[in-house]
Amino acid sequence: MKKIFSLLSAAMMLAACSNNPKQDSKVTVTEPILKEKFKNNFLIGTVLAADQAFGRDSLTINIAKKHFNALTAENCMKPEIIDKEKGKYDFSEGDLVVDFAKKNNMYMIGHVLIWHEQSPKWFWVDEQGNPLKPEVMKQNMKEFITATVEHYKGKVDAWDVVNETFNDDGTLRETPYYKILGEEYLKLAFQYAHEADPDAKLIFNDYNVSKPEKCDAIIKKINELKSQGCQIDYVGMQMHSTMTFPTIEQLETSLKKFEDNGIKVQITEFDLTAIPFPEGNTADITAKADYKDTYDPYRNGLTDSARNALNNRFNDIFECFVRHSANIERVTVWGITDKGSWRQDWPIKGRTDFPTLFYSDGKMKEFLCK
Ligand code: 9MR
């Protein structure tokens, strides 16, 4: 009986989504507009690269404008782009993305201020490659954060202030910032960001936040920083997800813990990989593995059962977001269509994955068309 039901629901799901109902006789439901579908729940966000903001990719640009009301710059507001050479700021690409957000009435998120990746080395070593003295590092952090946040004052609504600062076991990651300044760097980052734009909302961002030890450690740290006078408005849960992690129970538990601690949530980088994952549950960008056919099972397209399983998993996660939407301000998906997703090249180059809300041809994932 259960099997018959799941076959029936698979058939319904696969037939239920179209952005052009007149041309497709099988379909029964047209694609909803996502920002309307979720308007009573949360902002629904996406990411944009500078070349998309230039208008070079009309398919994705049209989807971004039509469906999303929040925007994060995928790469072009990272320290290595804005401040590659110390003090020679280049905001040109970031400005394009921010202008796009303003023109389209989108909530704009600045990504990212303090991260141990995609940041130039001068943040932590001198010209000879020696680790900086703590006072010099503090000054570097302060100058960069002040110049960047002030430049976007009134235009960026929220900043990912610190990113990926914890290990999955709940210990603090040994980043160059941590090695030179100890835990104090977290407090300083929030302090400098708040001083530069007191109206901006500030986010404490990380991946695998639903892992129990990591979740507890982040809550403890946010509470501690708040008690020391830091403004921290949201925990950012990246949520680069797999078919099995986080389980709905893990996700639910972590969302409840944040609610119980009065910590508001933004889902900052959600995506869902449909293909085998050789490196465990992580979003560590340094992870790499060799290509094997078995790691790329849907290179010629999803099978019906894989499409159904993927849609069911997306659906379960979104239902969980909606159940907890009183405490979730925003859900951002890391990629507009599957084609542009970082997942296609990570941790193995050149695979075919289906991690966003839109297939590569621009059609919406079926689970949204119920
Ligand atoms: O999506 C980004 C990809 O284009 C870059 O190559 C990659 C390099 O660091 O960064 C990706 O975005 C990351 C984000 O900035 C922080 N969390 C993990 C994201 C996926 O790696």
Side-chain angles (χ1 to χ4, degrees):
M1 183 66 190
K2 204 174 166 198
K3 195 160 182 200
I4 295 175
F5 177 76
S6 75
L7 285 175
L8 268 176
S9 71
M12 281 168 61
M13 212 172 225
L14 297 183
C17 219
S18 172
N19 53 15
N20 196 347
K22 283 187 191 139
Q23 280 182 9
D24 189 346
S25 58
K26 275 197 303 187
V27 296
T28 51
V29 181
T30 51
E31 290 182 357
I33 297 196
L34 295 184
K35 58 191 172 192
E36 286 171 13
K37 184 178 173 79
F38 295 112
K39 70 171 190 284
N40 295 326
N41 305 119
F42 32 70
L43 295 167
I44 182 93
T46 190
V47 291
L48 207 65
D51 60 342
Q52 290 168 318
F54 276 120
R56 291 189 195 130
D57 179 357
S58 59
L59 175 77
T60 55
I61 279 299
N62 290 338
I63 293 175
K65 285 184 187 168
K66 179 171 172 186
H67 290 285
F68 294 97
N69 52 16
L71 191 68
T72 308
E74 184 173 3
N75 286 303
C76 67
M77 290 170 76
K78 290 174 177 171
E80 71 173 8
I81 305 286
I82 286 185
D83 204 3
K84 191 172 179 185
E85 274 184 69
K86 185 170 156 41
K88 293 192 181 158
Y89 297 100
D90 180 358
F91 296 112
S92 55
E93 292 194 353
D95 288 353
L96 277 173
V97 175
V98 171
D99 288 349
F100 180 94
K102 292 300 115 186
K103 271 191 204 118
N104 293 288
N105 286 322
M106 296 163 114
Y107 179 93
M108 181 70 212
I109 300 94
H111 174 79
V112 50
L113 295 174
I114 295 298
W115 189 24
H116 56 281
E117 298 288 351
Q118 290 187 279
S119 296
K121 298 267 180 292
W122 62 256
F123 269 100
W124 47 80
V125 291
D126 64 19
E127 278 166 11
Q128 286 72 47
N130 300 315
L132 295 180
K133 299 225 164 17
E135 290 316 308
V136 181
M137 176 176 256
K138 281 185 200 172
Q139 190 58 29
N140 285 349
M141 283 176 61
K142 185 168 190 182
E143 280 173 17
F144 169 73
I145 292 175
T146 305
T148 305
V149 175
E150 279 186 349
H151 178 82
Y152 288 113
K153 199 170 177 165
K155 293 180 180 166
V156 162
D157 299 284
W159 283 97
D160 287 332
V161 176
V162 295
N163 194 31
E164 303 174 6
T165 56
F166 274 92
N167 297 309
D168 284 0
D169 65 3
T171 55
L172 274 166
R173 193 192 279 266
E174 299 254 325
T175 67
Y177 297 104
Y178 180 75
K179 284 186 188 148
I180 294 175
L181 294 174
E183 300 189 15
E184 195 195 359
Y185 88 93
L186 297 170
K187 184 179 166 192
L188 292 173
F190 281 96
Q191 187 187 312
Y192 298 149
H194 178 65
E195 282 164 8
D197 183 357
D199 294 330
K201 302 290 183 198
L202 306 181
I203 304 170
F204 194 111
N205 201 43
D206 214 322
Y207 63 77
N208 291 357
V209 173
S210 291
K211 294 215 163 180
E213 298 81 6
K214 194 165 188 171
C215 184
D216 292 345
I218 289 176
I219 288 173
K220 195 166 164 234
K221 178 52 73 184
I222 290 179
N223 285 339
E224 185 187 309
L225 290 169
K226 280 182 171 175
S227 74
Q228 292 169 4
C230 282
Q231 179 194 317
I232 301 179
D233 298 283
Y234 300 98
V235 64
M237 299 174 73
Q238 291 188 6
M239 280 208 69
H240 295 291
S241 312
T242 73
M243 292 297 283
T244 53
F245 177 82
T247 64
I248 297 303
E249 201 189 342
Q250 285 170 320
L251 175 59
E252 195 115 49
T253 303
S254 54
L255 289 170
K256 277 195 196 131
K257 283 183 185 170
F258 289 120
E259 281 160 22
D260 292 346
N261 278 276
I263 297 170
K264 289 209 168 81
V265 174
Q266 298 205 358
I267 307 294
T268 52
E269 304 182 16
F270 174 68
D271 57 17
L272 171 58
T273 183
I275 53 182
F277 194 83
E279 286 284 335
N281 301 311
T282 173
D284 190 328
I285 58 159
T286 58
K288 272 199 183 80
D290 292 330
Y291 184 91
K292 283 189 204 153
D293 283 353
T294 49
Y295 285 149
D296 194 13
Y298 309 124
R299 57 195 174 280
N300 299 318
L302 281 168
T303 58
D304 282 356
S305 69
R307 187 184 297 270
N308 193 40
L310 178 67
N311 272 281
N312 284 335
R313 173 87 173 127
F314 265 120
N315 193 54
D316 290 347
I317 293 175
F318 264 79
E319 281 185 359
C320 187
F321 291 157
V322 168
R323 277 198 297 283
H324 291 273
S325 57
N327 200 46
I328 299 179
E329 177 82 12
R330 160 176 72 102
V331 175
T332 284
V333 185
W334 204 248
I336 303 176
T337 66
D338 292 341
K339 194 175 162 199
S341 163
W342 72 294
R343 289 279 199 184
Q344 311 291 359
D345 288 314
W346 180 93
I348 298 173
K349 273 210 166 299
R351 297 192 299 167
T352 304
D353 203 353
F354 304 85
T356 73
L357 300 186
F358 292 86
Y359 293 107
S360 295
D361 64 2
K363 279 212 175 130
M364 193 179 274
K365 295 273 152 76
E366 291 85 347
F367 83 101
L368 289 162
C369 304
K370 302 184 292 178

